[in-house]
Amino acid sequence: AQKVTQAQTEISVVEKEDVTLDCVYETRDTTYYLFWYKQPPSGELVFLIRRNSFDEQNEISGRYSWNFQKSTSSFNFTITASQVVDSAVYFCALRGETSGSRLTFGEGTQLTVNP
Amino acid sequence: EAGVAQSPRYKIIEKRQSVAFWCNPISGHATLYWYQQILGQGPKLLIQFQNNGVVDDSQLPKDRFSAERLKGVDSTLKIQPAKLEDSAVYLCASSLIRGRYETQYFGPGTRLLVL
């Protein structure tokens, strides 16, 4: 069975603050893939990043960075110098190698960035 | 490149009525998915198509839900008859390849309200 836990239901920050969204996962697969998606109020899920379990290198893309730690089964997402446009629901998702293409999503974290 | 298209964007019906949603995936994407996203939750996979064949429909309530992808391109999801608990956003996604490098891209969704 696969499970993704996003313990933070809602986070509210002031613009320019840094914010970290937590994601903890469970899987019995030795090979798996982790994803982050952004869902703005318009409803569309926007793909942000895919991380393979066999690649633990952390990644930075502009103001976004991701910290993948196999030892703690976590894949956390940090936004540096947050902006109002970052306000959205963020989902962490997991796909195990034995689950075909099925994505297991967390419950999501509602991020509100206030001016 | 055009994204995943869905219509209608919103639909309000009364319980026991029927409803259908349409999805046109990204051009060339062989794999198509339908997800159900209940308010406050992450998306849950309903059905997955590879070309015009069903790969995974284990979580589709087959007594009332049906889906088809007759020509291997666009797809229709139908609910007949609808129940109050079917109120949700129905998301369509597509991917170019399967396997370890697969990434699913989502459409804007159809928001269904059953009264």
Side-chain angles (χ1 to χ4, degrees):
Chain A
Q2 299 181 143
K3 186 178 180 181
V4 175
T5 302
Q6 295 180 255
Q8 304 149 309
T9 305
E10 296 182 28
I11 300 177
S12 182
V13 299
V14 177
E15 207 169 15
K16 297 183 184 177
E17 286 185 7
D18 298 346
V19 58
T20 295
L21 309 182
D22 297 333
C23 173
V24 174
Y25 61 90
E26 296 175 31
T27 180
R28 294 179 182 172
D29 291 320
T30 54
T31 300
Y32 51 89
Y33 312 93
L34 296 161
F35 302 79
W36 275 96
Y37 284 88
K38 174 183 179 179
Q39 189 173 43
S42 60
E44 182 172 349
L45 277 166
V46 178
F47 166 72
L48 296 178
I49 190 169
R50 183 188 70 236
R51 171 62 63 226
N52 307 325
S53 60
F54 44 86
D55 178 7
E56 287 197 62
Q57 184 177 7
N58 290 321
E59 186 159 335
I60 298 175
S61 176
R63 298 184 296 106
Y64 295 170
S65 62
W66 290 269
N67 183 6
F68 174 38
Q69 296 210 342
K70 241 178 174 177
S71 59
T72 56
S73 297
S74 66
F75 185 42
N76 296 337
F77 173 31
T78 297
I79 302 175
T80 303
S82 61
Q83 300 176 2
V84 173
V85 293
D86 295 328
S87 296
V89 181
Y90 290 85
F91 289 96
C92 180
L94 164 70
R95 176 165 60 88
E97 194 167 52
T98 60
S99 65
S101 298
R102 181 183 301 184
L103 284 174
T104 298
F105 284 86
E107 298 288 284
T109 297
Q110 170 71 61
L111 173 65
T112 302
V113 181
N114 298 299
Chain B
E1 180 182 79
V4 177
Q6 290 188 247
S7 68
R9 293 296 311 276
Y10 305 91
K11 190 74 176 178
I12 301 175
I13 62 173
E14 295 189 350
K15 60 183 179 183
R16 291 187 289 272
Q17 286 187 323
S18 301
V19 65
F21 314 127
W22 174 83
C23 171
N24 191 15
I26 294 172
S27 178
H29 282 197
T31 311
L32 184 148
Y33 311 81
W34 283 101
Y35 286 83
Q36 180 191 57
Q37 185 179 17
I38 293 172
L39 185 64
Q41 299 181 17
K44 183 185 80 171
L45 179 68
L46 291 176
I47 189 168
Q48 175 191 347
F49 290 95
Q50 179 70 20
N51 296 309
N52 60 352
V54 175
V55 175
D56 183 356
D57 64 355
S58 57
Q59 299 187 111
L60 185 74
K62 298 180 184 65
D63 57 333
R64 297 183 300 106
F65 286 66
S66 63
E68 59 184 15
R69 193 184 183 200
L70 294 176
K71 296 182 179 179
V73 180
D74 54 356
S75 175
T76 302
L77 176 69
K78 296 180 182 178
I79 308 175
Q80 180 179 10
K83 292 185 176 181
L84 297 177
E85 58 260 37
D86 298 331
S87 294
V89 176
Y90 291 85
L91 294 162
C92 180
S94 69
S95 63
L96 179 60
I97 57 172
R98 297 174 66 188
R100 58 176 46 188
Y101 298 109
E102 175 182 2
T103 296
Q104 296 179 27
Y105 296 92
F106 286 79
T110 296
R111 296 177 186 268
L112 172 67
L113 178 61
V114 182
L115 301 176

